[in-house]
Amino acid sequence: QNHFYSAKVGLDYYASKKTTLGVVLNGYYNPSLWQSRTSTDIFNPNNDLTSQAGAFAENKEKWKNFSGNFNMRTVLDSAGQELTADLDYVQYRSTSKQPLISSYYDNMGNLESIDTLQGNLPQNITIYSGKADYTLPLKKGAKFEAGVKSSYVKTDNNASYDSLQNGTLVHDFNRSNHFVYEENINAAYVNYSRPLGKKWSGQFGLRMENTNAKGNQLSTNGQFKRNYTQLFPTVYLQYAASEKNQFVINYGRRINRPDYGDLNPFIHFLDRYTFEQGNPNLKPQFSHNVELSHTYNNFLTTTLNWSRTTDIIQQVIEQHESTNETFIK
């Protein structure tokens, strides 16, 4: 069950003929309920049934998001020289209640025990960012662009699990985890485009990114820090062989950072034997991408791609044989 509520309001102020100021506010609320019932049969290596288990799992979530943006655009001259800037603030707040009731049976179906695991998983994400972009039209259809951007993100995830034993809730230290992640990214880019004759045109860009990240698992005192600076070039060439045939070749190096949820080490249960868990040790993946395309009569496009990715982020299934647990990470 899902419900979605959102609201947005914006205001533009024309300070002068050349300068515009704007404010945009967004609000979002999403309560949801997810339930599942599962049954598990456990066999020994001889395929003999040794035990059975049943589980009822529930996940009650509430997402409350708010974002604010202030933007500015000013035209510097009649030739189209332009400066734009944005300041953004985003806040995500969520609560998640996860009761898990498990029943255990012997191989004859006789009930042996029942236990309850209560999970409380609040998540707070705060984002600040600012950027500025400059555009300079040049002679003969050329254009120069440049910009800078800086962002700061902090995520605070405090997963708390309690087990109900003899009518009393006992804190489960093995499953509980308090993880705080902070990330600062500073970037700058330049971009230049122009015709290269009657049939050729090109665009060339370079972006530099500096990343500073640190994670802290407060429950285990595990910490890590990462600092790196990378360059991301792009090249785009277009050839108009005729009115009906156009060719484009482009190259770019890209970065794909792990989602904040994938970094979060807390556990989402399906039942006592099946769950998913984040990995705070994930690194970003980098890729080189080359693409060649041909367009015929603005109707049919044929494309060839080649890419090479390092440190690829991939979901995997692992097992704890001693506890019969299977989990996605």
Side-chain angles (χ1 to χ4, degrees):
Q1 301 176 20
N2 270 293
H3 299 273
F4 300 93
Y5 307 94
S6 62
K8 179 179 180 179
V9 60
L11 175 69
D12 287 331
Y13 172 65
Y14 298 93
S16 68
K17 291 183 178 180
K18 295 184 177 181
T19 302
T20 304
L21 305 176
V23 176
V24 181
L25 303 176
N26 281 284
Y28 174 81
Y29 177 57
N30 170 216
S32 63
L33 174 64
W34 173 86
Q35 294 176 327
S36 73
R37 294 185 182 274
T38 61
S39 59
T40 305
D41 295 333
I42 299 176
F43 299 83
N44 65 17
N46 296 323
N47 207 33
D48 299 321
L49 181 66
T50 60
S51 62
Q52 298 173 299
F56 172 74
E58 188 175 74
N59 192 351
K60 293 181 179 180
E61 286 190 339
K62 291 182 180 180
W63 280 91
K64 298 177 182 179
N65 304 346
F66 170 79
S67 66
N69 167 266
F70 172 77
N71 57 82
M72 182 273 293
R73 175 179 180 266
T74 183
V75 179
L76 302 176
D77 57 24
S78 59
Q81 193 175 186
E82 184 178 287
L83 180 66
T84 62
D86 284 87
L87 295 174
D88 287 277
Y89 169 76
V90 185
Q91 183 184 80
Y92 296 90
R93 298 289 183 266
S94 73
T95 59
S96 178
K97 304 289 186 179
Q98 289 187 10
L100 172 64
I101 303 172
S102 302
S103 304
Y104 303 96
Y105 305 85
D106 62 18
N107 59 352
M108 300 299 294
N110 300 311
L111 180 65
E112 293 184 328
S113 63
I114 298 176
D115 67 30
T116 300
L117 184 67
Q118 178 67 53
N120 182 21
L121 289 75
Q123 183 173 212
N124 299 317
I125 303 175
T126 305
I127 304 172
Y128 303 89
S129 73
K131 70 171 185 173
D133 298 279
Y134 170 71
T135 302
L136 174 64
L138 301 171
K139 296 180 180 180
K140 298 181 180 180
K143 183 169 66 173
F144 172 79
E145 298 168 293
V148 293
K149 181 178 181 178
S150 183
S151 65
Y152 169 78
V153 179
K154 181 177 181 179
T155 71
D156 190 332
N157 311 277
N158 188 6
S160 177
Y161 286 97
D162 299 303
S163 295
L164 184 63
Q165 300 177 5
N166 300 320
T168 303
L169 282 177
V170 179
H171 189 62
D172 191 330
F173 290 94
N174 292 326
R175 293 186 173 92
S176 300
N177 200 330
H178 190 182
F179 178 61
V180 178
Y181 178 75
E182 296 178 75
E183 182 182 78
N184 164 239
I185 302 172
N186 306 293
Y189 78 92
V190 291
N191 196 63
Y192 177 72
S193 60
R194 62 162 296 169
L196 303 172
K198 293 183 179 180
K199 294 187 176 183
W200 287 88
S201 62
Q203 181 171 300
F204 312 91
L206 181 65
R207 187 175 83 256
M208 181 181 70
E209 286 191 7
N210 167 254
T211 301
N212 307 280
K214 62 180 180 180
N216 187 4
Q217 296 200 54
L218 301 178
S219 51
T220 61
N221 203 27
Q223 300 179 6
F224 68 84
K225 289 186 178 181
R226 297 195 186 102
N227 307 96
Y228 53 90
T229 301
Q230 298 280 343
L231 293 174
F232 301 93
T234 56
V235 178
Y236 176 94
L237 293 173
Q238 183 177 36
Y239 173 64
S242 64
E243 291 185 0
K244 293 186 176 181
N245 292 281
Q246 292 185 337
F247 296 86
V248 172
I249 184 170
N250 65 76
Y251 160 79
R253 182 172 186 256
R254 294 183 174 88
I255 182 174
N256 181 26
R257 293 182 174 84
D259 296 336
Y260 302 129
D262 292 336
L263 289 168
N264 195 330
F266 65 44
I267 298 171
H268 279 276
F269 281 99
L270 178 65
D271 55 45
R272 273 297 178 92
Y273 303 108
T274 315
F275 59 89
E276 63 177 349
Q277 183 176 22
N279 180 5
N281 298 310
L282 284 177
K283 298 178 180 179
Q285 67 179 34
F286 297 90
S287 62
H288 295 273
N289 304 279
V290 179
E291 182 178 278
L292 172 65
S293 65
H294 167 250
T295 302
Y296 174 73
N297 201 26
N298 293 320
F299 167 71
L300 179 65
T301 299
T302 306
T303 304
L304 296 175
N305 297 282
W306 177 89
S307 66
R308 182 177 183 271
T309 303
T310 56
D311 290 325
I312 190 167
I313 298 171
Q314 177 64 49
Q315 199 173 67
V316 296
I317 296 177
E318 298 184 10
Q319 288 184 321
H320 290 153
E321 292 186 11
S322 60
T323 56
N324 296 317
E325 291 177 323
T326 301
F327 60 98
I328 294 174
K329 193 173 184 179

